[in-house]
Amino acid sequence: MKNLLFTILQFLACRIVKKYNPTIVAITGSVGKTSAKEAIAAVLGAKFSVRASPKNYNNELGVPFTILGARAPGRSSLRWCGIIVCALTKILVRGSYPAILVLEMGADHPRDIAKLVKLAPPTVGVVTAVAPVHTEFFGSVEKVAREKRRLVEAVPKSGTVVLNADDEAVAEFASAARGPALTYGIEQEAAVRAVEIREQTTDYRLQTTDELGSVHFKITHNDAVVPVHLSNVLGVSHVYAALAGAAVGQVLSMNMVEISNALLKYVPPPGRMRLIAGIKGTLIIDDTYNSSPRAAVAALETLGNLTLPTGATRYAVLGDMLELGSYTEKGHREVGQAAAKQADVLLAVGVNAQW
């Protein structure tokens, strides 16, 4: 019964895509997918009718639900029937539909991306990074990279690939692109580039403002330069997300001023370097959604680089990183070494904390 529902759901999603022919922006990567999705949706939403994947709807169920504009019904037969009826109505009677779908595409197992791009053929493909995440199911980082590359290969000659130039593995995907490739990053080689990056926290002990901290930088592309302000976040990961949004905006003919203004509305997803006011004059950097060695080290570097009041203590509270396979011990040791450099106190929870 479960497999039958999956098949019906995917069939209906395919029919809706064919009927309404939206521009599909597909995003994949080992880390940074969801933040990039939110930034891209914020940018494009300033000019177009946009629907983006809610939460982490990035698999063989989540992508069809996003296409249908539905939420997962759980085990409710009535809700499943409602989704199917609504989908059939959209297919039989033409109604309103978003001009652009911004879809996150995850890959927990080999061939996952191949299935998703067949379901929702991308017009624009975005790849954020390749890292040792889900290596338990792939066996190596190289096999993870091969899976992410499938998204690039699925973008037609008439489409555009958007790649993180600062990730060596991702930058090499340009050779697999059938059409143009636009790069983003912080290094010199990127076409859409962030410069003059500055992070700051407010005096959160005074509680006089709703903004606990922010990231400021400028985006350059060709001869254009615009300032960008991201509120209540810290970390270079959000800079990369904003750059992905800016690059996709450029692909879809938005100007840099429109993009800069749109990024003011960027709201990072929960658990990804968001700032929370804690008790007794503390500031919490919430990066609890999920992690990988690369993401954890980046978060710790942000913690270590903060300018804090005299006498302040930096605490790193870390849990296990899962699904790393043979990379488990090495990955946790790398994070431990970073914590030793960047934090004053380390609190660790989980079996792999021993490393």
Side-chain angles (χ1 to χ4, degrees), residues 31-32 35 232-238 266 268-276 283-303 315-321 335:
V31 294
S35 296
N232 288 321
V233 297
L234 290 175
V236 72
S237 60
H238 293 294
Y266 167 65
R272 294 164 175 89
M273 297 302 285
R274 286 178 65 167
L275 298 177
I276 300 172
L283 179 66
I284 300 168
I285 305 174
D286 175 19
D287 198 38
T288 55
Y289 171 72
N290 200 354
S291 198
S292 66
R294 179 187 293 189
V297 169
L300 287 163
E301 289 174 347
T302 298
L303 176 67
Y315 293 87
V317 185
L318 306 178
D320 281 355
M321 295 175 290
V335 173

Side-chain angles (χ1 to χ4, degrees), residues 116-136:
L116 294 177
V117 295
K118 185 177 180 180
L119 181 65
T123 309
V124 180
V126 182
V127 187
T128 60
V130 171
V133 178
H134 302 306
T135 47
E136 178 182 355

Side-chain angles (χ1 to χ4, degrees), residues 162-348:
V162 175
L163 304 173
N164 179 359
D166 295 348
D167 186 294
E168 184 177 350
V170 173
E172 291 178 355
F173 291 171
S175 62
R178 290 188 278 172
L182 181 64
T183 59
Y184 67 90
I186 297 172
E187 304 301 328
Q188 293 280 357
E189 292 75 14
V192 179
R193 185 171 168 236
V195 297
E196 301 179 26
I197 301 170
R198 180 170 55 89
E199 299 175 273
Q200 68 179 40
T201 57
T202 58
D203 193 341
Y204 46 88
R205 297 169 300 177
L206 300 178
Q207 299 294 305
T208 56
T209 176
D210 291 333
E211 185 172 270
L212 300 172
S214 55
V215 181
H216 305 262
F217 56 98
K218 294 178 181 177
I219 294 180
T220 70
H221 179 58
N222 294 332
D223 296 325
V225 181
V226 294
V228 175
H229 175 91
L230 305 179
S231 297
N232 288 321
V233 297
L234 290 175
V236 72
S237 60
H238 293 294
V239 176
Y240 280 106
L243 287 171
V248 174
Q250 284 285 318
V251 170
L252 297 180
S253 302
M254 292 181 67
N255 65 57
M256 293 298 287
V257 174
E258 289 176 320
I259 290 168
S260 175
N261 289 335
L263 284 170
L264 289 170
K265 297 180 180 179
Y266 167 65
V267 177
R272 294 164 175 89
M273 297 302 285
R274 286 178 65 167
L275 298 177
I276 300 172
I279 63 172
K280 299 182 180 179
T282 58
L283 179 66
I284 300 168
I285 305 174
D286 175 19
D287 198 38
T288 55
Y289 171 72
N290 200 354
S291 198
S292 66
R294 179 187 293 189
V297 169
L300 287 163
E301 289 174 347
T302 298
L303 176 67
N305 291 334
L306 285 178
T307 300
L308 298 179
T310 303
T313 303
R314 291 173 169 83
Y315 293 87
V317 185
L318 306 178
D320 281 355
M321 295 175 290
L322 305 180
E323 299 179 359
L324 296 181
S326 61
Y327 195 72
T328 297
E329 179 180 345
K330 183 178 179 181
H332 284 83
R333 287 189 180 278
E334 289 174 359
V335 173
Q337 290 163 0
K341 295 177 182 177
Q342 308 294 354
D344 302 310
V345 179
L346 170 62
L347 305 174

Side-chain angles (χ1 to χ4, degrees), residues 1-13 15-16 61 64-65 68-74 76-93:
M1 184 64 179
K2 182 179 177 181
N3 290 335
L4 176 61
L5 284 174
F6 285 7
T7 301
I8 293 172
L9 189 69
Q10 291 171 1
F11 171 79
L12 293 172
R15 296 306 304 171
I16 285 178
L61 274 179
F65 280 138
L68 300 180
R71 296 296 180 108
S76 171
S77 300
L78 187 61
R79 290 181 181 177
W80 273 106
C81 290
I83 288 173
I84 292 171
V85 169
C86 286
L88 287 171
T89 301
K90 285 182 176 132
I91 292 169
L92 298 173
V93 181

